Structures are given as structure tokens and as C-alpha cells.
Amino acid sequence: MFRRLRQWLCPDVAIDLGTANTLVAIQGMGIVLDEPSVVALQKGTRRVLGKGTAVGKLAKQMLGRTPDSITAVRPLQDGVITDFELCEAMLRYFLQKAIRQRRGLRPRVVIAVPGGITPVEKRAVFNSAERAGAGRVYLMEEAKAAGIGAGLPISEPMASMVCDIGGGTTEVAIFSLADVVVGRSTRVAGDELDEAIVEYMKQHFSLRIGTQTAEKIKIEIGSAYPLEQELTTEVRGLDTISGVPRKAIVTSEEIREALREPLEAILNCIKSVIEQCKPELVADIVDTGLVLTGGGALLRGLDLFLNEQLGIPVRVADEPLTTVARGTAICLEHLSQWRDSLDSGEADL
């Protein structure tokens, strides 16, 4: 009875703490919050604007558009916390927005994090979450959360392979019997794709654009494989030679060329995981293939590109943007079953 009352007053929470976006799911309710991982500050101070409310969507609108008195920053880079204080403020805001937390009650929280983070980086996540109002904190590898969220039979004695392409990191893992057999994390993901477009526009069009514009180009015409009908878009930026604003027409073929290098880095990461796998599990992958999750999985033709390069079936998971959050929420629903496989930080204390 007491457990049910406590759960009603302060439900357990699952968090996909991403470089680009943070998603929060509540036990029994699913995903209730999806906001950019951005915080807006009064420049020269550590004070969050709007009495602590300039976080998430509101703060992202300010990226690259702020006056000298305001700065919009991301507390996470490449999947890890780079500013503990701001990450704490961001998590506190998201937790308060997602749940009506009663005084004295602190929710149990499961957080999905990159598999390649160091013990120091893990401790930063624990501390930030606890100071933000969490009670018991558990960490879960993003790749495992992605596999569960995608509905893969990771508990079976056969290989299941997932590639989660987020904003800051790409997680690749092969599962069998509910654990990671081989896994690798690389800090080449969505942000690097955006930076590649920024650099390409500078080198080939003498046009300086921001990462927000590059992300928009990637979404509108970006592709990893030739399209049946190639696309074009108009890009506005600063002419690096004349120093005045200018427009340019860019094609999907040109953006595909811009994305070639980071996509090859992701491909090499996937190949290295397959090469380390046991022959019996590799034989399974020939049949079961690879599942793509994360925002990067939405890049046009990425599944066709990887299928051609790897020679195995490749498919995009349903709703890839929320796959990790859904997997973390499923783990939260069965916390007693998964608790032993999660990192609770006790070894670091």
C-alpha cells in the first residue's frame, strides 16, 4: 500500500540524456517530455534566464541569435557532461516539469548514457542527477536501451545488432542473452554531420553558415545514398570573400559529398564491431541484420548505404528518435529484473 502511494506521489523516471535532446518518460505514462539539451544564461554569470525557465525549446531558439548580454549553451558535448552546474539546472527543470514532485520524495531515475564514457564521466551524471532532485540513480547503456526500445530479442541466445546515431555519439552493439557481446562508441554523430556541412559550404561556396542552418539543410535534402529524384534548397549565409549576405542553391548530391567522411567513420565503427564478434553470432547477423535508431537514422538512404557496404539487412526502427527513451522506460517498468545489469554507482562510492 505504501509503495503504491509513494509511486503515485513521486513516480519513477526514465531519462534519455542526449547531447541534442533530453527525453523524459514516467512509469506507466510513457514519454512526457522531449526538449533540446540547451540552457540560456545571462552572459558573465551562471544564472539561467527567465527565473530558471530558459531551458530546452526556448533556449534552443536563442542559439546563434543572442545579443552580447545572453549566451545559449549545451551542457553536454559528445554525449558527456561538460558543465556540471548547468546540467544540474537543466535536469532539475526537466524533472520539475515532468512530475509534480512532493517535498521529501525523490524519484528513482534510470538514465541512458553512452557506453564509452569513463568512470569520472559516470560520476558526473550521478552527481548532477542527485543534486537535481533524483533519489536512487541507475545508469543504462544507450545501445542496450536502443535494442530494448526497438523490440529486438536481446535476451535470446542469438545475435541482435543495433546502431544508435545520436547528436554527440554513435553507439554500436551486438547483443546475446541480455548482454552486450561486442560494443563500441564513437564520438562521430549528428553534430559532426552538421559541422561537415558547415565546412563544405565554406570550402566550396565561400559561404559561412551556422550549425542550425546546417542541420536544417541536412533534414531538408541530406542523404547517404543516391535519391530517385535529387533535391535542392536555397541556403543563406555570409559571403566569406565580400563580407555581405548571399544566397546559394545547393543540391542533395553536394550535401551527400559533404557527409561522406563522417558517414564512413560511422561505417568503420560498425565494421570494427562485426570483426570482433564470434563467427556463430556473425552468422546470425547475416539473417537478423542491423537496426538503426536515433535521429541520425532519419538521414535519407542511410539504410541502403549501409546495406550496400555491409551486405546485411539494414532497417530503421519505428520512431527512431524515441527508441532509447522507450527502452529506458521499459527497463524502468521491470527495474527489479534489470537492476543487477545497471550501474548504480556503488562501486565508485
Side-chain angles (χ1 to χ4, degrees):
M1 180 68 179
F2 174 75
R3 183 177 298 176
R4 290 182 181 177
L5 178 62
R6 185 193 182 284
Q7 187 61 37
W8 178 77
L9 292 172
C10 190
D12 294 338
V13 178
I15 300 177
D16 174 13
L17 187 61
T19 304
N21 293 280
T22 295
L23 287 79
V24 178
I26 294 178
Q27 186 172 358
M29 296 177 63
I31 298 171
V32 297
L33 183 143
D34 181 358
E35 300 246 6
S37 303
V38 186
V39 179
L41 302 173
Q42 191 74 37
K43 195 164 186 178
T45 72
R46 306 295 291 169
R47 187 165 58 86
V48 181
L49 289 176
K51 297 181 179 179
T53 61
V55 178
K57 294 177 182 176
L58 178 61
K60 186 176 181 180
Q61 294 172 359
M62 303 179 186
L63 278 173
R65 295 183 172 92
T66 58
D68 291 339
S69 59
I70 300 173
T71 178
V73 297
R74 286 180 168 182
L76 295 99
Q77 292 291 333
D78 298 329
V80 298
I81 297 173
T82 54
D83 192 310
F84 309 122
E85 188 178 343
L86 294 186
C87 185
E88 177 188 333
M90 183 181 74
L91 282 174
R92 181 181 293 111
Y93 174 79
F94 289 156
L95 284 172
Q96 291 174 350
K97 188 174 180 179
I99 62 175
R100 295 179 178 178
Q101 190 174 344
R102 270 64 172 183
R103 180 171 298 190
L105 294 178
R106 298 163 69 90
R108 293 185 301 178
V109 177
V110 179
I111 303 177
V113 296
I117 66 173
T118 66
V120 173
E121 291 165 343
K122 285 183 180 179
R123 176 48 51 192
V125 178
F126 279 117
N127 291 342
S128 295
E130 288 169 353
R131 290 172 184 168
R136 192 64 180 270
V137 179
Y138 299 92
L139 300 189
M140 183 179 193
E141 290 186 16
E142 284 182 0
K144 183 178 287 188
I148 295 172
L152 297 180
I154 69 170
S155 297
E156 300 296 324
M158 62 180 294
S160 299
M161 188 174 186
V162 68
C163 175
D164 178 62
I165 307 173
T169 62
T170 293
E171 308 286 321
V172 184
I174 296 175
F175 307 96
S176 181
L177 295 173
D179 206 353
V180 176
V181 178
V182 184
R184 185 181 170 190
S185 175
T186 180
R187 296 183 179 184
V188 178
D191 288 348
E192 280 64 31
L193 296 177
D194 297 341
E195 291 291 344
I197 294 174
V198 170
E199 188 62 27
Y200 186 88
M201 294 301 297
K202 182 179 177 182
Q203 294 292 333
H204 294 79
F205 287 84
S206 299
L207 203 65
R208 194 173 73 196
I209 63 172
T211 53
Q212 294 269 77
T213 301
E215 183 183 23
K216 184 180 178 182
I217 295 170
K218 179 181 69 177
I219 293 171
E220 288 183 353
I221 66 170
S223 68
Y225 196 80
L227 305 175
E228 290 184 7
Q229 183 175 353
E230 299 294 349
L231 306 171
T232 62
T233 190
E234 186 179 76
V235 180
R236 300 171 179 86
L238 181 70
D239 192 303
T240 58
I241 298 174
S242 64
V244 298
R246 180 168 62 84
K247 298 177 183 178
I249 301 298
V250 183
T251 67
S252 52
E253 296 102 319
E254 290 167 328
I255 298 304
R256 191 159 55 247
E257 175 62 24
L259 299 177
R260 183 175 53 83
E261 192 171 323
L263 287 177
E264 286 182 353
I266 293 173
L267 173 64
N268 290 334
C269 179
I270 297 172
K271 285 182 176 179
S272 70
V273 170
I274 295 175
E275 288 170 357
Q276 297 175 52
C277 195
K278 295 178 181 178
E280 289 80 5
L281 294 177
V282 173
D284 290 339
I285 293 170
V286 172
D287 294 325
T288 60
L290 169 68
V291 176
L292 301 176
T293 67
L298 295 173
L299 184 68
R300 294 174 185 83
L302 182 58
D303 53 342
L304 298 175
F305 168 74
L306 293 176
N307 171 258
E308 183 180 88
Q309 297 295 320
L310 299 171
I312 61 174
V314 180
R315 68 177 177 89
V316 179
D318 296 333
E319 300 181 25
L321 285 169
T322 61
T323 306
V324 171
R326 285 185 279 117
T328 310
I330 292 171
C331 177
L332 184 68
E333 296 281 352
H334 304 87
L335 190 57
S336 58
Q337 176 183 342
W338 287 95
R339 186 181 290 124
D340 292 342
S341 67
L342 302 180
D343 190 342
S344 63
E346 292 180 343
D348 298 331
L349 297 177

